[in-house]
Amino acid sequence: MKKTGAQILWESLVREGVTCVFGYPGGAILPAYDAMLDYPIRHILVRHEQGATHMADGYARATGQVGVAIATSGPGATNMVTGIATAMMDSVPIVCITGQVGSKAIGSDAFQETDITGITLPVTKHNYLVTRPEDVARVVREAFYVARSGRPGPVLIDITKDCQQSSCEFVWPDAPKLRGYRPSHTPSSREVEQALDLIHSAKRPIILAGRGIQLSNAREAVLKFAEQANVPIATTLLGLGAIPASHPLNLGMMGMHGEAWVNTAIQEADLLLAFGMRFDDRVTGNVKTYAPNAKKIHIDIDPAELNKNVRVDVGLIGDLRETLEGLLPRIEACDRTDWVSYISMLKGDSAVRDIQNLPDNGHLYAAHVINDLWRETRDRETIVVTDVGQHQMWEAQYYKHEEPRSLITSGGLGTMGFALPAAIGAKVARPDAEVWVVVGDGGFQMTMCELATIAQEGIDINIAIINNGFLGMVRQWQEFFYERRYAATPLVNPDFCKLTESFGLKAMRVETRGDVVPAVREARRHQGTVLIDFRVEQEDSVYPMVPAGNDLHNMIRRPSAIVETGADA
Ligand SMILES: Cc1ncc(C[n+]2csc(CCOP(=O)(O)OP(=O)(O)O)c2C)c(N)n1
């Protein structure tokens, strides 16, 4: 039977297993919106197309399935760019569908025409301009295949209005075969032998665990490897939760705001085993002085990652889980007790500086809020979605993630405004899980319009605003590196409670430490979204900190005066 391009689009999406899309209509995508009503698809009307992409992204990160966002041409499409770039940097599989002006008008600067395939070329894994209904099904099939295979990423499909309107026979194509696209690899046996030699001769090895563990479901394989070879594990920000925080070999986070003992151990290691991570500059600090005595083995699915930022001794290109499962039978037990206990000794020094261990001076610190939130929510499956800034780092330090996909955050692009919409996507994908947003007062204001989406769709999440009256992380840099000249970082905020209430949602304000737990409990009991405005210490800083480009072991620690006296940070 003949169908329009618009109908073929939805036929194909349904066949790809799509049940929900996030979007915003407009002229060039109207035929698709009209056809949508005849298909079993939930459409979530966002308030800004950036929100649609972050929701699709949150949906994908929470499940591993492809998230879908849809928008019109021109400004609708360009509003998606930040979300697409965010997904690209963190290897998130999303498919974005945009309407395009009629094919005959392309190139004429028609109303709401923009070359979105050109604009998104560097921030998509692949993109398509579709002008004939005969191509729609094949393109959708390819787009999903590309988005989810190999190293996942965003794919954009731009469909002209006439393509959506004209008809052809609908045929669901066979599984795609794309010339020149090789999503899977297997490491050579020579490299495997070299890796085994390095692993067995190392005295002070460390595993660097990245997001690739979550993407390839390699948790069990990594844990077996670590336990069999007795190797401690440091994680990247996006690796948090990939292995349980409570596992005895888990050291915690590395990098700019990583634990001091983790960075020190990396600098003193004789072997780094990089598992599905990409040696981002926030992780390495100065690459010239990074882990100077360590041999390096890198396992990654994307050949382009090997030797990109850090030269490695052995590169194993392949799916992390499959590669580790291949290595496991050949990993011999090694005694590394000295190394592991040396790192425990380093931990002791950090414990005395930990803000959780300082006497309570009555002030409300963000770190306490996060720690209390973790204690209160660990009784059930919880997904925390953070925004970008100081609160993101405190979350990473003080919320102990046990499960994969339980932390959703924009690591690579560091996109403020990500958290609220991404949390909506995560909740739609995982209605069974409790979802908390941890967001700064700055980032919240970038996409707070999505409170209306929450109200309209009846989404049940909880929002913790870490309100310090500043663009906190930038203020911290100004404090440390620009002589406290606070250019453009103090914030005048709306009354977040009143604002939330105006959408018919519940809100609370918390100003003292003793009120944190009761507020969290009340929010959890309440059916429907609750916002808590936590008024925290305004000029608190995240410690430790490796200044950008510095050597990884040269960290700014919490000032010792505070450690000794327990006075204000
Ligand atoms: C879209 C965007 N613009 C600017 C930045 C730069 N930036 C990084 S952190 C930050 C401050 C964040 O402030 P807030 O949201 O209040 O969180 P806090 O650091 O106080 O926890 C800024 C401006 C960014 N990451 N993203």
Side-chain angles (χ1 to χ4, degrees):
M1 210 180 75
K2 285 200 165 191
K3 292 194 185 295
T4 64
Q7 290 170 321
I8 295 173
L9 174 66
W10 296 110
E11 290 284 349
S12 310
L13 291 174
V14 168
R15 280 172 176 73
E16 287 295 345
V18 175
T19 53
C20 177
V21 301
F22 305 91
Y24 205 89
I29 196 73
L30 254 183
Y33 265 84
D34 182 65
M36 178 179 78
L37 293 180
D38 300 325
Y39 291 86
I41 298 265
R42 177 177 181 193
H43 177 269
I44 297 201
L45 177 63
V46 303
R47 293 300 184 271
H48 187 289
E49 292 85 352
Q50 180 186 352
T53 51
H54 292 327
M55 288 181 210
D57 178 315
Y59 183 100
R61 292 193 208 221
T63 55
Q65 282 153 29
V66 180
V68 181
I70 181 164
T72 194
S73 63
T78 54
N79 274 349
M80 286 182 144
V81 174
T82 299
I84 295 172
T86 304
M88 183 71 178
M89 288 288 270
D90 289 349
S91 310
V92 183
I94 61 171
V95 168
C96 293
I97 296 158
T98 47
Q100 183 53 281
V101 299
S103 350
K104 292 216 173 69
I106 287 182
S108 72
D109 287 343
F111 178 63
Q112 294 191 330
E113 180 190 358
T114 200
D115 174 11
I116 195 62
T117 46
I119 290 171
T120 58
L121 194 66
V123 290
T124 45
K125 192 170 165 189
H126 196 49
N127 68 23
Y128 297 86
L129 170 63
V130 190
T131 56
R132 304 177 332 133
E134 291 82 0
D135 295 330
V136 173
R138 173 186 58 80
V139 165
V140 170
R141 199 138 198 211
E142 284 180 14
F144 276 75
Y145 170 64
V146 171
R148 61 163 80 98
S149 57
R151 177 181 187 167
V155 178
L156 179 126
I157 308 175
D158 195 29
I159 311 183
T160 60
K161 192 164 184 180
D162 53 310
C163 167
Q164 296 169 52
Q165 287 164 323
S166 45
S167 308
C168 70
E169 272 318 306
F170 169 60
V171 186
W172 183 235
D174 296 336
K177 282 192 203 74
L178 296 173
R179 271 209 298 153
Y181 178 58
R182 236 187 103 200
S184 61
H185 303 265
T186 322
S188 78
S189 52
R190 192 175 61 93
E191 286 151 349
V192 168
E193 295 308 322
Q194 286 174 343
L196 286 166
D197 281 350
L198 288 182
I199 293 163
H200 290 133
S201 57
K203 300 258 178 308
R204 298 188 309 280
I206 293 201
I207 291 170
L208 308 180
R211 179 163 149 75
I213 298 177
Q214 327 228 22
L215 293 174
S216 75
N217 295 317
R219 176 190 180 89
E220 295 312 318
V222 173
L223 286 177
K224 266 195 199 141
F225 181 99
E227 284 161 10
Q228 231 162 282
N230 210 1
V231 183
I233 309 168
T235 66
T236 67
L237 173 65
L238 294 184
L240 290 172
I243 52 158
S246 58
H247 192 282
L249 284 170
N250 189 350
L251 300 177
M253 189 169 74
M254 64 181 105
M256 182 176 275
H257 293 294
E259 305 290 358
W261 72 80
V262 183
N263 289 341
T264 307
I266 288 171
Q267 292 299 76
E268 295 184 14
D270 65 358
L271 176 67
L272 297 185
L273 292 143
F275 289 175
M277 57 81 77
R278 60 188 177 86
F279 293 108
D280 177 77
D281 55 280
R282 284 293 191 267
V283 154
T284 60
N286 180 0
V287 282
K288 292 208 180 80
T289 56
Y290 180 62
N293 306 317
K295 298 272 185 204
K296 294 162 188 101
I297 299 174
H298 194 175
I299 308 182
D300 204 283
I301 187 109
D302 184 353
E305 280 306 331
L306 282 122
N307 295 311
K308 188 179 81 179
N309 296 329
V310 166
R311 287 214 73 77
V312 295
D313 299 275
V314 180
L316 305 181
I317 304 170
D319 174 76
L320 182 62
R321 183 170 54 79
E322 287 167 16
T323 307
L324 286 179
E325 282 170 356
L327 288 176
L328 274 173
R330 308 210 27 216
I331 298 293
E332 293 155 19
C334 308
D335 177 20
R336 278 159 184 150
T337 330
D338 287 354
W339 174 228
V340 174
S341 47
Y342 170 67
I343 299 176
S344 304
M345 192 268 293
L346 294 176
K347 266 190 195 181
D349 169 55
S350 293
V352 287
R353 295 167 182 265
D354 189 341
I355 189 165
Q356 304 299 332
N357 297 333
L358 300 184
D360 185 357
N361 60 6
H363 293 230
L364 182 59
Y365 289 100
H368 293 144
V369 174
I370 305 284
N371 206 245
D372 285 350
L373 180 65
W374 164 64
R375 284 181 196 286
E376 286 300 308
T377 53
R378 59 187 165 156
D379 59 340
R380 70 168 286 200
E381 194 161 3
T382 305
I383 298 174
V384 182
V385 187
T386 83
D387 213 69
V388 172
Q390 291 183 312
H391 64 278
Q392 179 188 32
M393 294 301 127
W394 282 313
E395 200 283 347
Q397 294 176 341
Y398 292 108
Y399 197 102
K400 311 291 176 196
H401 288 276
E402 293 289 312
E403 296 299 325
R405 304 190 181 282
S406 66
L407 168 62
I408 293 179
T409 192
S410 165
L413 201 64
T415 308
M416 282 171 73
F418 172 81
L420 185 65
I424 296 173
K427 183 68 186 179
V428 169
R430 298 278 319 278
D432 50 310
E434 184 167 324
V435 175
W436 278 83
V437 177
V438 173
V439 61
D441 42 340
F444 182 69
Q445 290 180 75
M446 285 206 171
T447 52
M448 66 185 176
C449 53
E450 302 305 343
L451 283 175
T453 307
I454 289 177
Q456 181 161 347
E457 293 293 329
I459 306 278
D460 183 359
I461 58 177
N462 292 314
I463 304 163
I465 298 199
I466 305 300
N467 183 352
N468 51 14
F470 273 108
L471 295 174
M473 188 57 99
V474 182
R475 186 212 59 77
Q476 174 169 340
W477 284 50
Q478 290 169 332
E479 179 187 327
F480 288 3
F481 313 119
Y482 294 87
E483 295 162 354
R484 283 182 189 258
R485 286 153 60 87
Y486 291 165
T489 45
L491 285 175
V492 172
N493 291 323
D495 181 327
F496 291 119
C497 292
K498 277 195 188 148
L499 179 89
T500 306
E501 283 157 5
S502 77
F503 292 99
L505 306 170
K506 187 175 164 69
M508 292 179 258
R509 178 164 303 134
V510 170
E511 278 159 327
T512 62
R513 192 169 172 193
D515 289 338
V516 174
V517 168
V520 168
R521 290 189 182 160
E522 197 176 329
R524 297 186 80 209
R525 274 194 304 272
H526 181 78
Q527 298 267 317
T529 289
V530 178
L531 176 142
I532 313 177
D533 179 13
F534 288 104
R535 296 292 180 90
V536 298
E537 195 67 24
Q538 288 208 299
E539 295 186 48
D540 194 8
S541 295
V542 186
Y543 297 103
M545 177 180 191
V546 181
N550 243 41
D551 310 335
L552 195 58
H553 51 277
N554 282 334
M555 288 159 273
I556 303 175
R557 306 293 298 274
R558 191 174 291 283
S560 58
I562 294 164
V563 178
E564 282 150 23
T565 64
D568 283 359

